[in-house]
């Protein structure tokens, strides 16, 4: 409805502007034909032209308001699931398509990761509350070294597969968050700077996506492949209980992200290649895993296939 109304207003404004231009030309012709600039007939035409200008200004304001409303409505629409996405409402309807490795059997003597970290003094949780607040950690000693090593390992591995390494800003503007589907839906999950139009990035996907925002990429340059490391920041509102123990659901964490810009006709093929690159990483680390094809009900707001 808003789109139809916007088109009607645009048509009205266009007609009025055409009439205004016609009157302006008529005023010029009459003066050129000998009429005095302040004569009644010329003045009447000018008054009519001024009335049209006022009407055009009102219509332009209405168009601007409708454009804003229409944009807000469009931003609330999720991406359409691909034909490959299984029908379903929740994670229970996801389909396993692959598994690699054999998970270790659960035994009573095995420790949780936070128990191992405490024994080996890999990170500080309680002292980090003093520095920031809860759900922040300070990696210490071998914990900090392990994090740094994993980041370098991932960047080097993917750079060797043709991904271009990127180290982007970790403060991003609202347009970057909007263009990557984070705003307006996930505003409450993000940290915002008080005095600037800047946010702490929730994922490297946001700044790296905006590297090419508002650009047209020549087809012959595709695919573009990037690998990026950033610290990531999320408020994780609503997370509690067992899901936030140790290094789970932190407000700050490190992430290495793979992104591709591809031709639409090869999109899903390139997605499969990207997934295999991510799997290769897990295989080199010896981490057993499963691959799930997510159903429509478990897809994220901006996702088509996952």
């Amino acid at each position: 409805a808003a789109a139809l109304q916007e088109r009607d207003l645009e048509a009205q404004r266009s007609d009025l502007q055409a009439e205004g231009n016609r009157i302006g030309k008529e005023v010029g012709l009459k003066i050129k034909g000998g009429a005095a600039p302040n004569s009644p007939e010329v003045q009447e035409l000018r008054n009519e032209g001024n009335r049209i200008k006022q009407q055009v200004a009102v219509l332009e304001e209405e168009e601007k308001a409708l454009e804003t409303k229409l944009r807000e409505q469009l931003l609330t629409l999720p991406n359409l699931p691909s034909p490959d996405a299984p029908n379903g409402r929740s994670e229970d309807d996801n389909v396993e398509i692959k598994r690699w490795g054999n998970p270790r059997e659960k035994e009573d003597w095995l420790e949780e990761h936070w128990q191992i970290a405490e024994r080996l003094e890999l990170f500080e949780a309680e002292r980090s509350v003093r520095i920031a607040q809860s759900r922040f950690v300070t990696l210490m000693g071998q914990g900090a070294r392990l994090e740094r090593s994993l980041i370098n390992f991932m960047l080097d591995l993917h750079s060797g597969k043709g991904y271009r390494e990127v180290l982007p800003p970790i403060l991003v503007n609202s347009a970057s968050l909007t263009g990557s589907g984070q705003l307006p839906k996930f505003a409450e999950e993000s940290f915002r700077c008080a005095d600037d139009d800047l946010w702490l990035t929730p994922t490297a996907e946001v700044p790296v996506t905006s590297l090419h925002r508002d650009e047209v990429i020549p087809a012959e340059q595709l695919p573009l492949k990037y690998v990026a490391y950033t610290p990531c920041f999320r408020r994780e509102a609503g997370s509690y209980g067992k899901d936030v123990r140790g290094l789970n659901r932190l407000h700050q964490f490190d992430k290495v992200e793979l992104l591709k810009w591809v031709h639409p006709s090869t999109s899903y093929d390139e997605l499969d290649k990207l997934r295999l690159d991510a799997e290769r990483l897990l295989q080199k680390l010896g981490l057993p895993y499963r691959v799930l094809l997510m159903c429509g009900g478990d897809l994220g707001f901006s996702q088509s296939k996952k």
Side-chain angles (χ1 to χ4, degrees):
L4 290 173
Q5 192 176 354
E6 185 180 23
R7 281 200 292 270
D8 289 342
L9 287 172
E10 184 180 357
Q12 292 178 44
R13 175 178 53 78
S14 180
D15 290 344
L16 283 170
Q17 287 174 328
E19 179 65 10
N21 291 336
R22 186 192 67 76
I23 290 173
K25 289 179 182 178
E26 188 174 347
V27 167
L29 288 172
K30 285 189 176 296
I31 292 174
K32 190 175 180 179
N38 58 351
S39 64
E41 59 178 335
V42 171
Q43 193 58 46
E44 185 178 349
L45 285 171
R46 282 177 169 165
N47 289 341
E48 180 63 19
N50 289 333
R51 282 194 294 271
I52 288 175
K53 285 182 180 179
Q54 291 174 351
Q55 289 177 285
V56 167
V58 170
L59 289 175
E60 286 176 338
E61 286 300 315
E62 291 183 17
E63 277 186 274
K64 190 180 297 183
L66 267 176
E67 184 180 352
T68 300
K69 180 181 179 181
L70 184 60
R71 178 174 172 78
E72 290 173 352
Q73 290 176 344
L74 289 172
L75 288 173
T76 65
L77 297 177
N79 203 355
L80 294 175
S82 79
D84 296 334
N87 291 327
R89 294 179 177 273
S90 70
E91 62 181 15
D92 296 330
D93 301 312
N94 295 334
V95 178
E96 180 180 317
I97 59 174
K98 180 180 179 180
R99 62 172 59 200
W100 183 91
N102 298 309
R104 188 167 183 171
E105 293 294 330
K106 187 173 182 180
E107 300 180 49
D108 292 338
W109 61 272
L110 290 176
E111 296 176 297
E112 298 284 1
H113 79 270
W114 57 84
Q115 294 171 317
I116 298 172
E118 183 177 2
R119 176 164 52 81
L120 299 179
E121 299 181 341
L122 301 183
F123 66 76
E124 286 280 359
E126 293 183 9
R127 288 190 174 100
S128 298
V129 176
R130 184 189 310 160
I131 298 171
Q133 63 180 49
S134 61
R135 288 159 65 183
F136 285 88
V137 299
T138 303
L139 297 175
M140 304 291 290
Q142 294 289 354
R145 188 176 181 184
L146 176 61
E147 184 86 345
R148 173 166 54 84
S149 299
L150 283 171
I151 292 167
N152 286 336
F153 168 68
M154 293 177 182
L155 290 172
D156 291 343
L157 181 70
H158 296 307
S159 294
K161 288 288 289 184
Y163 290 85
R164 187 178 184 185
E165 185 174 339
V166 180
L167 188 62
I170 57 175
L171 287 172
V172 296
N173 56 32
S174 296
S176 297
L177 283 165
T178 303
S180 56
Q182 304 292 322
L183 289 181
K185 185 174 178 62
F186 300 113
E188 293 185 1
E189 293 290 333
S190 302
F191 289 102
R192 185 171 191 175
C193 300
D195 298 325
D196 303 280
D197 179 31
L198 290 172
W199 307 65
L200 289 170
T201 187
T203 166
E205 178 185 339
V206 174
V208 181
T209 297
S210 283
L211 276 176
H212 296 291
R213 190 176 77 239
D214 299 328
E215 292 182 22
V216 176
I217 303 173
E220 62 270 16
Q221 294 181 13
L222 299 175
L224 299 178
K225 300 166 60 174
Y226 293 130
V227 57
Y229 156 70
T230 63
C232 303
F233 304 86
R234 298 181 188 179
R235 294 185 65 241
E236 292 290 358
S239 298
Y240 60 91
K242 63 180 179 65
D243 291 331
V244 299
R245 293 293 302 273
L247 297 177
N248 293 329
R249 297 293 185 182
L250 295 177
H251 291 312
Q252 176 183 334
F253 57 94
D254 291 322
K255 186 147 72 84
V256 172
E257 185 97 37
L258 297 176
L259 297 97
K260 287 184 181 182
W261 278 255
V262 303
H263 194 279
S265 64
T266 64
S267 177
Y268 293 124
D269 290 338
E270 291 288 353
L271 174 62
D272 288 336
K273 292 177 184 177
L274 185 144
R275 174 176 57 80
L276 290 172
D277 287 335
E279 287 186 41
R280 194 164 60 101
L281 177 89
L282 295 175
Q283 292 171 8
K284 283 185 173 293
L285 292 172
L287 298 175
Y289 63 87
R290 296 186 302 150
V291 179
L292 299 180
L293 185 58
M294 317 299 268
C295 70
D298 203 29
L299 286 176
F301 178 80
S302 60
Q303 295 163 353
S304 173
K305 181 179 180 181
K306 183 179 180 182

